[in-house]
Amino acid sequence: MLSRIVNAVQGGVSAGLKGVNDVGSSLVHLVHNVTVTTFEETGEFVSSGIHGVASIVRGAISGIADTGSSLVGTARGIVEGTVSGFMEAGGKQDEAVEGAVAQTLLSAKELGEDIAEVAVQAVKGSIQAVTSVGGDVAEATRSAVIAAVHAAQDIGTETADSVKGALSDSVDGAKEIINTITGNEKEK
């Protein structure tokens, strides 16, 4: 089921962006609509939570790759559209944020993109999405930063350090969140 979703989203995003000059401005709206439509057509899919969100993100990134666009330049729009669409379809905020941010970093690794910069864009995209749908922005920031750090740690120590540094420098409140989670991890 999830692989069908990836393929459907990939096709929808790729087709939706054909002939579009400014991919960035069209992307949020396109991914949002594809996400809402996907979850409406497959009602039980919302219950798949993080995995469902990750499938949407993976498909959207594949669709972007089909157009030749960079993930660094599109990660924010992909995450923003996915998170806002998932929440509009009745999905939980934390699942939307965690699934979208983590999958974006894993895809960046697969594509050989700058993971730290993609992490910053993904976190900012999730914060913007939650802001636009009226969710808990502080909790979204926390969830996004933690998801990015954990995904980066799964990739490697050097990547995790780069992501922590980039987030600390670029996202309001990220440094404090990172200090809290790394302090907790040291105590374990």
Side-chain angles (χ1 to χ4, degrees):
M1 166 93 164
L2 295 178
S3 63
R4 283 190 320 204
I5 299 299
V6 170
N7 293 334
V9 171
Q10 177 180 353
V13 169
S14 183
L17 292 176
K18 282 211 185 332
V20 172
N21 291 329
D22 184 7
V23 171
S25 64
S26 303
L27 190 59
V28 174
H29 185 67
L30 175 63
V31 174
H32 174 90
N33 289 342
V34 168
T35 302
V36 170
T37 302
T38 300
F39 286 117
E40 285 175 353
E41 290 175 357
T42 57
E44 78 281 354
F45 190 52
V46 173
S47 66
S48 65
I50 291 174
H51 299 293
V53 171
S55 296
I56 295 284
V57 169
R58 188 174 183 88
I61 289 170
S62 296
I64 289 296
D66 290 347
T67 69
S69 296
S70 160
L71 180 55
V72 170
T74 58
R76 185 175 184 160
I78 290 169
V79 171
E80 183 178 343
T82 303
V83 170
S84 64
F86 184 75
M87 289 176 67
E88 182 180 307
K92 295 178 182 174
Q93 174 181 305
D94 60 331
E95 292 176 345
V97 170
E98 291 169 23
V101 170
Q103 183 59 53
T104 304
L105 268 66
L106 297 175
S107 293
K109 177 188 183 271
E110 291 172 7
L111 295 170
E113 298 260 359
D114 181 338
I115 298 169
E117 184 56 34
V118 167
V120 168
Q121 296 308 314
V123 169
K124 287 182 175 183
S126 65
I127 293 167
Q128 181 58 45
V130 170
T131 301
S132 71
V133 298
D136 183 340
V137 177
E139 184 56 33
T141 303
R142 184 179 175 288
S143 294
V145 169
I146 291 171
V149 169
H150 286 166
Q153 287 171 333
D154 289 345
I155 295 168
T157 304
E158 187 176 315
T159 300
D161 291 343
S162 295
V163 166
K164 288 175 190 175
L167 291 173
S168 293
D169 292 343
S170 305
V171 176
D172 289 341
K175 186 173 189 170
E176 293 77 13
I177 295 165
I178 291 167
N179 287 340
T180 300
I181 62 172
T182 55
N184 290 344
E185 289 170 359
K186 288 177 183 170
E187 291 170 11
K188 289 180 181 175

